Amino acid sequence: MGAYRNIDTAQSVPADRATIASAIAWWAEAGVDVLVEDVPRDWLAAPAPAPVAVEAPAADSLPATLEAFLGWRAGSNAPEAAWSGVSLAATGPADAKVMVLVDCPDRDDGNAGALLAGEPGRLFDRMLAAIGLSRETVHIAAVCARRPAAGRMPRDIEAKLGEIARHHVELVAPERLLLLGDATSRAVLAMERIDARGSLQAFNHKSGHTKVVASAHPRMLIERPAMKAESWRDLQLLMGADR
């Protein structure tokens, strides 16, 4: 009891608490956070290496031809390979003057085995026809080859998928690129659609340069018909891009 000699008991309690708190802090700093564990631990052993994150290859190591790229995109090394569902390949001519990118497949797309199916697809076909184009004349692809579980492009891999999509554009080297959807604009242009729309955006690449227009996805136009007038202006801007 020497610790209490000549010290008032009421005053000793805070001192003891401080000592205990200091000891606990010391052990916590040393890595001890429980009194007894179920399995013995060697506190002096070197820590286990952290798990290595699996990432898609950098753009300069992606397949250099469109044929090889499309094969890789649907293969086991693509970023979405572990997601459920099937990968939907790009369609349309490899040398199309106009390319269209959407964010990800819709539920109807997976069932149909092609991008832009169902009601949004029928509206998209009418949009193309209004500017003298068709699916047979444009190259259509998605930034996400598979449909995400939540139906939206995951923000944490948006930039990486955008890098892959830009490589895809470079391989096709279209004169004009139409981005449909907010996530598509963020991934490819690193801009919100509302900030990018209304003017031509420039995308320079090894094969030349492409003029880009960001617009609303047909699914949004179905939900908000009032936006169709805005979309029509975007399509006119797209087709006037070479003038």
Side-chain angles (χ1 to χ4, degrees), residues 5-37:
R5 187 177 298 124
N6 299 326
I7 298 178
D8 183 80
T9 302
Q11 296 177 346
S12 69
V13 173
D16 286 351
R17 286 178 176 171
T19 301
I20 293 170
S22 177
I24 292 174
W26 188 91
W27 283 111
E29 189 171 330
V32 180
D33 54 5
V34 294
L35 181 61
V36 178
E37 288 188 326

Side-chain angles (χ1 to χ4, degrees), residues 155 179-187 189-201 213-217 220 224 227 230-231 233-234 237:
R155 284 287 190 122
L179 304 178
L180 296 178
D182 297 343
T184 314
S185 180
R186 286 195 304 268
L189 296 176
M191 297 174 65
E192 293 291 340
R193 178 187 61 85
I194 193 170
D195 297 322
R197 72 160 306 276
S199 60
L200 291 173
Q201 304 298 324
V213 172
S215 190
H217 194 288
M220 180 176 286
R224 304 178 185 178
M227 293 181 64
E230 177 184 293
S231 179
R233 289 192 292 271
D234 294 337
L237 179 63

Side-chain angles (χ1 to χ4, degrees), residues 92-127:
D95 58 350
K97 291 185 177 181
V98 176
M99 181 172 177
V100 178
L101 270 177
V102 297
D103 50 359
C104 57
D106 285 333
R107 195 177 305 279
D108 288 342
D109 298 353
N111 296 333
L115 294 168
L116 290 164
E119 188 177 0
R122 290 189 288 274
L123 175 57
F124 174 68
D125 289 339
R126 295 197 296 273
M127 292 165 63

Side-chain angles (χ1 to χ4, degrees), residues 138-223:
V138 300
H139 190 87
I140 305 171
V143 179
C144 284
R146 298 191 183 200
R147 177 176 171 80
R152 299 184 302 274
M153 191 189 309
R155 284 287 190 122
D156 58 336
I157 62 169
E158 207 172 74
K160 178 58 65 177
L161 290 173
E163 184 178 347
I164 294 170
R166 287 192 294 273
H167 183 72
H168 190 168
V169 175
E170 180 176 299
L171 294 176
V172 177
E175 293 177 3
R176 290 155 285 182
L177 172 64
L178 178 63
L179 304 178
L180 296 178
D182 297 343
T184 314
S185 180
R186 286 195 304 268
V188 177
L189 296 176
M191 297 174 65
E192 293 291 340
R193 178 187 61 85
I194 193 170
D195 297 322
R197 72 160 306 276
S199 60
L200 291 173
Q201 304 298 324
F203 174 41
N204 298 318
H205 46 80
K206 295 178 183 177
S207 303
H209 63 274
T210 296
K211 296 173 181 177
V212 186
V213 172
S215 190
H217 194 288
R219 76 171 80 93
M220 180 176 286
L221 300 181
I222 292 172
E223 295 173 359

